[in-house]
Amino acid sequence: MQSYLLTDQYRRPIQDLRISVTDRCNFRCSYCMPKEIFGTDCAFMPKDELLSFEEIMRLVSLFASQGVSKIRLTGGEPLLRNDLPVLVAAIKQIPEIKDLGLTTNGTLLGKQAQSLYDAGLRRLNISLDALDPKLFGQMNGRGIPTDHIFKQIHYAQQIGFKIKINMVVQKNVNDAEIIPMAQYFKNCGITLRFIEFMDVGNDNSWSFQKVVTKQNILQKLQQSFQLEPIEPTRFGEVAKYYRYAESDAQVGFITSVSESFCSSCTRGRLSSDGTFYNCLFASQGLDLRDLLRHGADDHTLLQAIVQTWAQRKDRYSDERTAQTAISRPKISMSYIGG
């Protein structure tokens, strides 16, 4: 049995770290940054409040020493952070980091995909919630059409990126797009992942009634496709995958609401201002930026990280109720990293 360097109160190791490099985004998706709240006059973090690349690298090295081997860069929209390939290249130099990915809405890939690939990035998760251009424009809050995103996806695919598409499904919003999305990306040989609508933050008017569960989606898919379940490849795998019969194409499900995976969660989160969170649904975290900028040495920083994770008892999705979804304060997804 594998032993881990650092585990929490439920013996869950820390293996994955999501790093938000900016709180800014050029979309206003209703489930993340609704435009009614994040308007044109929205005040984002000043540059000097963001972690610098040097600060991020110092922390990544410390997390790697405790078992983190997988990094995902997120935002906001991470491609809005200047010189991101510089950070990618630096992370690739850390021997313990075996897997580096980036989550993006795809709008800026045409300008940056090649430089990111040259820096060593190989995996992209691209958020896309509908094929229908009118619906997609409404959902992204900016009227950005699907054909622009398709061009970016296929450009990145031609460069050589391994791509997964993330679709957040909401009842009576985009659930009619389940089959068209599945068919399109099956034909492209790109994995599509359906994400159950989650109560991240306190701004997206979440309720159980708006959730389309994995079982609902799977039943719809099975009316059009023959699907075979795939065994998880590692402890802490978040998505549940299926393979289309007689094909290498796959489809996945992220089931935080209907089939929670708290018991095997190995993921920590570093916000763009340097706060370390134990959970996507956290209310508070550890301010590592303050320690960094007040001269803490690596031993002090590592002690703080280890103590925070070792005391971790988070299992929000196991405990979620309609009342906690409304009443419990949670960090905004654009701030903590989706």
Side-chain angles (χ1 to χ4, degrees):
M1 181 179 293
Q2 184 175 356
S3 61
Y4 298 100
L5 296 171
L6 175 60
T7 59
D8 67 9
Q9 295 290 297
Y10 296 115
R11 301 189 65 80
R12 297 171 294 187
I14 183 167
Q15 298 177 159
D16 312 72
L17 184 66
R18 291 215 161 186
I19 303 173
S20 175
V21 296
T22 181
D23 62 329
R24 296 174 182 271
C25 189
N26 50 1
F27 275 15
R28 289 296 180 270
C29 300
S30 59
Y31 56 80
C32 181
M33 296 178 67
K35 60 185 177 182
E36 294 80 10
I37 297 172
F38 296 86
T40 55
D41 59 346
C42 177
F44 292 102
M45 278 187 235
K47 183 178 178 180
D48 62 357
E49 291 187 13
L50 300 172
L51 284 183
S52 69
F53 287 170
E54 291 78 11
E55 290 169 330
I56 290 173
M57 287 305 303
R58 188 175 170 196
L59 293 176
V60 169
S61 295
L62 293 174
F63 278 103
S65 75
Q66 295 303 304
V68 167
S69 61
K70 183 176 181 179
I71 299 288
R72 177 161 293 279
L73 303 177
T74 73
E77 169 48 51
L79 298 188
L80 291 174
R81 180 75 185 256
N82 291 335
D83 300 319
L84 196 60
V86 174
L87 179 61
V88 168
I91 293 174
K92 291 292 292 183
Q93 297 303 308
I94 298 177
E96 295 91 344
I97 303 303
K98 308 300 182 184
D99 188 338
L100 175 61
L102 181 142
T103 297
T104 175
N105 60 36
T107 53
L108 301 174
L109 278 174
K111 297 179 179 179
Q112 300 188 42
Q114 188 64 61
S115 59
L116 288 166
Y117 192 88
D118 292 344
L121 187 68
R122 294 293 181 270
R123 296 200 309 107
L124 295 171
N125 284 5
I126 300 175
S127 301
L128 181 68
D129 296 321
L131 288 186
D132 180 82
K134 183 178 179 180
L135 176 59
F136 179 65
Q138 292 171 346
M139 293 189 71
N140 65 53
R142 293 296 197 222
I144 296 172
T146 48
D147 60 351
H148 174 74
I149 307 300
F150 292 150
K151 289 177 183 177
Q152 315 308 305
I153 291 170
H154 295 304
Y155 173 62
Q157 191 178 29
Q158 290 168 6
I159 289 173
F161 279 104
K162 182 177 180 181
I163 298 170
K164 293 177 182 176
I165 303 298
N166 289 341
M167 176 186 179
V168 177
V169 184
Q170 300 176 62
K171 188 175 293 184
N172 298 325
V173 177
N174 64 335
D175 47 344
E177 294 284 285
I178 290 169
I179 297 300
M181 287 280 286
Q183 186 65 63
Y184 183 89
F185 288 106
K186 176 179 181 289
N187 293 342
C188 295
I190 293 175
T191 296
L192 170 64
R193 303 196 302 179
F194 297 101
I195 301 176
E196 293 178 348
F197 179 39
M198 294 180 285
D199 54 317
V200 182
N202 297 104
D203 300 321
N204 64 4
S205 303
W206 184 90
S207 74
F208 281 109
Q209 286 68 41
K210 296 180 181 180
V211 177
V212 184
T213 67
K214 172 211 169 184
Q215 195 58 37
N216 297 146
I217 299 170
L218 185 58
Q219 288 173 354
K220 284 190 177 186
L221 292 173
Q222 288 173 329
Q223 295 172 12
S224 300
F225 309 101
Q226 185 177 346
L227 295 169
E228 305 166 347
I230 300 172
E231 290 297 317
T233 57
R234 68 183 184 95
F235 181 80
E237 180 72 73
V238 169
K240 299 174 175 69
Y241 288 102
Y242 290 73
R243 180 182 295 108
Y244 294 101
E246 301 179 359
S247 170
D248 290 331
Q250 298 181 14
V251 65
F253 302 88
I254 298 178
T255 61
S256 175
V257 179
S258 69
E259 300 174 18
S260 66
F261 37 82
C262 295
S263 63
S264 60
C265 178
T266 63
R267 181 176 295 171
R269 295 172 182 273
L270 186 64
S271 71
S272 43
D273 71 344
T275 305
F276 175 47
Y277 294 98
N278 285 336
C279 179
L280 176 61
F281 303 97
S283 300
Q284 56 188 355
L286 169 66
D287 188 346
L288 289 172
R289 186 188 65 187
D290 185 65
L291 289 172
L292 283 165
R293 296 186 182 180
H294 283 84
D297 59 19
D298 285 354
H299 176 72
T300 301
L301 288 166
L302 196 55
Q303 273 192 320
I305 291 168
V306 168
Q307 183 178 29
T308 298
W309 190 266
Q311 294 176 349
R312 177 188 190 232
K313 295 181 180 179
D314 300 75
R315 47 191 296 267
Y316 175 81
S317 291
D318 284 349
E319 302 168 334
R320 178 192 286 109
T321 67
Q323 184 58 40
T324 62
I326 296 171
S327 62
R328 174 170 167 165
K330 298 183 287 291
I331 307 301
S332 171
M333 184 184 289
S334 62
Y335 175 77
I336 199 172

